[in-house]
Amino acid sequence: MKQPTGALALRRVPRDPSAAVLLLHGGRPEGLEAPPRPNLPGLRMLPFARAIADAGPAQDVVVAEVRYVHRGWNGHRADPVHDVWQALRELRCVAGALPVVLVGHSMGGRAALRAAADPLVRAVVGLAPWCPPGEPVVHLGDTAVVLLHDEADGVTDARASWDYVRRARARGARAGGIVMPHGGHAMLRQARTWHRIATDTTLGLLGLTALPEELFTGRVPGPTGSRCTVAGSDSSGMRQQ
C-alpha cells in the first residue's frame, strides 16, 4: 500500500489487516513550530512500535504513527487532536474501517484520550499521559481506556491519571490503571517492561490476547481524592519538557 504523505506514517501494513494501532509521541504544552529533527519524543515510541509489530498475535495488525503539524498542544487549539483525526481518516482510506487502538505518551496520551470518540477507536493506552484536572471523560462511551504511569513521574502526574480513571468509570466507561514500578516520564528505566506491558495491553484491548477483567473492575491505583497537580508544573498540570 502507498505511504500517505499527511498525518499517518505507516510502519507495517499486512496484506489483509484486521485491526490497527496508532502511536502518538509526546510534545509540549505550547509550541507552534513543527516537531524538530531528530524528534526525540518520536524516537522514544519506536521500540513500542517494534514490540507491537513483532508480537505473534499482531501479525494482521497495521502499525502506524501520527505525524504532528505543531510541536505543542497550544491551549484551546488542541492541535495534536486534529492530527489524530486526520490520521484516522487517512487510515480509513488506506486500509478500511479497522478497529483502532491509540497508544499515546504524555501529550500524545492526552490527544489519544480526546480522540477516543472517533468511531474507529476501540481503546486508548496512555503511557505517562498528560491528564489535566477536569480533562473530559463523557465522550468515551464504549471506548476502553488503560493508563500506565510511574508514580515518581516528575513531568506528568500519576495521581491525575488515576483521577481520570475514576471519573471515566463513574461515567460508565471501561477504564483501568497500571502502576509502573520505574521509568519516570521518559520510560527509560526498565524500558522493556514498559514495552511488554503496553504491547500486552494493546493486544488485549484488540481481543487478540486475554486481558484480566479486574483491570476494569478492581481498585483504582492511588488515594481517592488526591490532587491532580505536580509541584513546579504549569497550570495545565504538565511540566515543560
Side-chain angles (χ1 to χ4, degrees):
M1 295 182 182
K2 185 178 179 180
Q3 175 73 264
T5 59
L8 185 69
L10 294 168
R11 288 235 157 240
R12 200 272 303 278
V13 182
R15 183 181 299 273
D16 187 19
S18 60
V21 175
L22 297 189
L23 295 106
L24 295 78
H25 64 73
R28 296 186 172 188
E30 304 294 334
L32 292 174
E33 69 276 15
R37 294 182 180 274
N39 181 20
L40 294 181
L43 293 175
R44 187 175 291 138
M45 296 302 292
L46 292 182
F48 289 93
R50 287 195 293 265
I52 293 169
D54 291 344
Q59 295 309 300
D60 295 330
V61 175
V62 175
V63 179
E65 300 160 12
V66 177
R67 296 190 182 108
Y68 299 153
V69 175
H70 305 285
R71 189 178 192 179
W73 182 269
N74 301 318
H76 70 276
R77 291 169 52 120
D79 285 318
V81 181
H82 300 281
D83 297 324
V84 181
W85 288 334
Q86 178 60 28
L88 289 167
R89 287 191 290 267
E90 293 172 14
L91 176 65
R92 184 188 288 269
C93 292
V94 169
L98 301 174
V100 177
V101 173
L102 302 176
V103 180
H105 173 236
S106 191
M107 183 189 76
R110 185 182 185 186
L113 291 168
R114 284 286 186 96
D118 188 282
L120 291 184
V121 178
R122 173 177 290 185
V124 172
V125 177
L127 310 174
W130 176 23
C131 296
E135 186 69 13
V137 297
V138 67
H139 66 290
L140 293 175
D142 295 333
T143 305
V145 170
V146 179
L147 306 184
L148 284 62
H149 221 135
D150 175 4
E151 294 186 327
D153 190 332
V155 177
T156 57
D157 191 356
R159 294 171 298 177
S161 291
W162 313 148
D163 179 70
Y164 187 96
V165 170
R166 281 189 289 271
R167 292 188 294 111
R169 283 189 183 183
R171 299 293 303 198
R174 284 169 52 82
I178 299 175
V179 178
M180 301 299 292
H182 298 289
H185 191 70
M187 309 176 295
L188 295 178
R189 188 179 177 190
Q190 294 192 7
R192 290 183 180 179
T193 300
W194 281 84
H195 304 157
R196 175 180 56 80
I197 294 177
T199 296
D200 291 347
T201 302
T202 299
L203 298 183
L205 291 168
L206 285 173
L208 300 177
T209 60
L211 199 61
E213 186 62 25
E214 185 181 358
L215 179 60
F216 303 104
T217 60
R219 177 183 174 274
V220 178
T224 303
S226 60
R227 292 178 60 81
C228 301
T229 58
V230 179
S233 66
D234 67 10
S235 60
S236 67
M238 180 180 178
R239 180 174 293 171
Q240 189 85 1
Q241 300 181 66

